[in-house]
């Protein structure tokens, strides 16, 4: 009997972030489940399932549960975009998450602000080994290493782009105002959380992965600064750039597994 390894799930929020990877998928097979489309196949010789979390924490939790329960994935990696919150986190930079929190979770005064009730923790930690591989892959992709034979990511537009590692905050809102972004950053800082980037899914994915004991890591490319022009910057980045980043980083990551 031929035993095949359980697949690696590659999760993105939006189709535009997934397109480049989908175009490279070998022996693609489409499966419809839970109102979603899952793509099984091979990338860099590895069995994978490509899936869309959709937008927001609930949708992301549903997709993650389906990946684990239905597809038996052995690890989950998220690739997508985020708004840069931390000082020096610029559009075109990459953030590899070390840990995740929900910035819109507040059950105070019953529990400390941001703490996930009954888990006794505020932050969910990414899998250390996967995170280290993603960090190396992201550095390689930005540095134009010639392993894949494709061009590097750094164009004139994003020259000086760098890879950061740190905390990512998720919440069910698109942060699109300089004032809002400052308030969010300040409130988190008061509670001792220095956040690099904000998005809408990964803390939920991390929580489900913790529940099931499935290793999880995430990489986010900065599409905007979560400021007054975030909606414009986000839209053009997602259309024009996001998929190239996902492709270059995930190919290198899968090669290193
Ligand atoms: N994803 C990308 N940019 C974002 C922002 N500004 N707020 C929330 N999620 C995002």
């Amino acid at each position: 009997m031929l035993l095949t390894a359980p697949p690696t799930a590659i999760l993105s929020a939006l189709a535009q972030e997934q397109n480049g990877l989908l175009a490279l998928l070998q022996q693609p097979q489409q499966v419809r489940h839970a109102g979603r489309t899952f793509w099984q196949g091979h990338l860099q010789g590895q069995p994978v399932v490509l899936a869309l979390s959709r937008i927001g924490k609930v949708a992301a939790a549903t997709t993650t549960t389906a990946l684990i329960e239905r597809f038996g994935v052995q690890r989950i990696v998220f690739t997508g975009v985020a708004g840069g919150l931390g000082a020096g986190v610029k559009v075109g930079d990459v953030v590899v998450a070390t840990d995740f929190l929900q910035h819109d979770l507040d059950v105070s005064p019953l529990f400390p602000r941001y703490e996930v009730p009954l888990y006794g923790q505020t932050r969910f930690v990414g899998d250390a080994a996967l995170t280290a591989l993603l960090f190396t892959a992201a550095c390689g992709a930005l540095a134009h290493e010639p392993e894949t034979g494709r061009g590097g990511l750094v164009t004139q537009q994003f020259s000086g782009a760098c890879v950061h590692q740190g905390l990512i905050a998720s919440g069910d809102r698109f942060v699109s105002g300089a004032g809002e972004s400052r308030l969010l950053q300040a409130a988190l800082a008061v509670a001792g959380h220095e956040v690099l980037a904000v998005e809408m899914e990964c803390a939920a994915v991390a929580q489900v992965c913790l529940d099931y004991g499935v290793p999880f890591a995430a990489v986010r490319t900065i599409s905007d600064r979560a400021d007054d022009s975030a909606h414009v910057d986000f839209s053009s980045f997602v259309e024009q750039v996001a998929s190239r980043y996902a492709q270059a980083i995930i190919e290198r990551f899968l090669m290193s597994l």
Side-chain angles (χ1 to χ4, degrees), residues 47-67:
V48 295
V49 183
L50 306 184
L52 297 180
S53 63
R54 302 185 171 178
I55 296 174
K57 292 182 294 173
V58 174
T62 300
T63 307
T64 306
T65 306
L67 282 168

Side-chain angles (χ1 to χ4, degrees), residues 6-7 20 28 37 72:
T37 300

Side-chain angles (χ1 to χ4, degrees), residues 81-83 171 173-176 198-200 220 223-227 230 234:
V81 299
R173 59 182 298 119
F174 184 79
V175 181
S176 57
V198 65
E199 40 80 309
M200 302 180 66
R220 292 277 187 167
S223 56
D224 58 83
R225 278 289 303 170
D227 58 11
F234 168 86

Side-chain angles (χ1 to χ4, degrees), residues 81-123:
V81 299
L85 267 199
V89 181
K90 314 178 296 297
V91 173
D93 283 2
V94 174
V95 174
V96 176
T98 51
D99 43 6
F100 310 88
L101 66 70
Q102 296 181 45
H103 68 72
D104 56 354
L105 182 60
D106 186 355
V107 196
S108 62
L110 300 176
F111 294 88
R113 189 169 183 189
Y114 308 118
E115 184 172 311
V116 185
L118 312 183
Y119 284 70
Q121 61 189 97
T122 298
R123 299 185 185 195

Side-chain angles (χ1 to χ4, degrees), residues 12-248:
S12 313
L14 303 168
Q16 294 95 323
E17 296 165 326
Q18 188 195 55
N19 283 343
L21 289 168
L22 196 51
L24 297 176
L25 191 67
Q26 303 288 302
Q27 302 109 35
Q29 275 195 315
Q30 193 183 15
V31 178
R32 290 284 301 168
H33 177 68
R36 288 148 164 78
T37 300
F38 296 83
W39 288 96
Q40 295 176 301
H42 287 79
L43 281 175
Q44 298 295 335
Q46 301 274 351
V48 295
V49 183
L50 306 184
L52 297 180
S53 63
R54 302 185 171 178
I55 296 174
K57 292 182 294 173
V58 174
T62 300
T63 307
T64 306
T65 306
L67 282 168
I68 296 168
E69 291 272 3
R70 167 81 192 255
F71 295 91
V73 297
Q74 65 170 310
R75 57 179 78 88
I76 298 181
V77 172
F78 198 108
T79 173
V81 299
L85 267 199
V89 181
K90 314 178 296 297
V91 173
D93 283 2
V94 174
V95 174
V96 176
T98 51
D99 43 6
F100 310 88
L101 66 70
Q102 296 181 45
H103 68 72
D104 56 354
L105 182 60
D106 186 355
V107 196
S108 62
L110 300 176
F111 294 88
R113 189 169 183 189
Y114 308 118
E115 184 172 311
V116 185
L118 312 183
Y119 284 70
Q121 61 189 97
T122 298
R123 299 185 185 195
F124 295 115
V125 178
D127 179 80
L130 290 183
T131 300
L133 292 180
L134 261 190
F135 185 78
T136 304
C139 292
L142 282 187
H144 190 7
E145 286 181 357
E147 289 152 32
T148 61
R150 293 197 188 84
L153 291 171
V154 177
T155 61
Q156 272 184 335
Q157 195 184 1
F158 304 121
S159 63
C162 45
V163 184
H164 309 264
Q165 235 180 327
L167 178 63
I168 285 186
S170 310
D172 286 322
R173 59 182 298 119
F174 184 79
V175 181
S176 57
E180 181 188 351
S181 153
R182 268 195 303 276
L183 283 177
L184 180 60
Q185 207 178 6
L188 286 161
V190 165
H193 306 295
E194 196 190 321
V195 172
L196 294 184
V198 65
E199 40 80 309
M200 302 180 66
E201 296 84 19
C202 277
V205 179
Q207 185 171 335
V208 175
C209 285
L210 176 75
D211 287 340
Y212 282 93
V214 172
F216 173 58
V219 58
R220 292 277 187 167
T221 307
I222 301 303
S223 56
D224 58 83
R225 278 289 303 170
D227 58 11
D228 298 345
S229 63
H231 57 298
V232 179
D233 298 340
F234 168 86
S235 302
S236 69
F237 195 95
V238 161
E239 289 301 334
Q240 292 161 28
V241 192
S243 157
R244 283 198 291 122
Y245 270 82
Q247 189 179 314

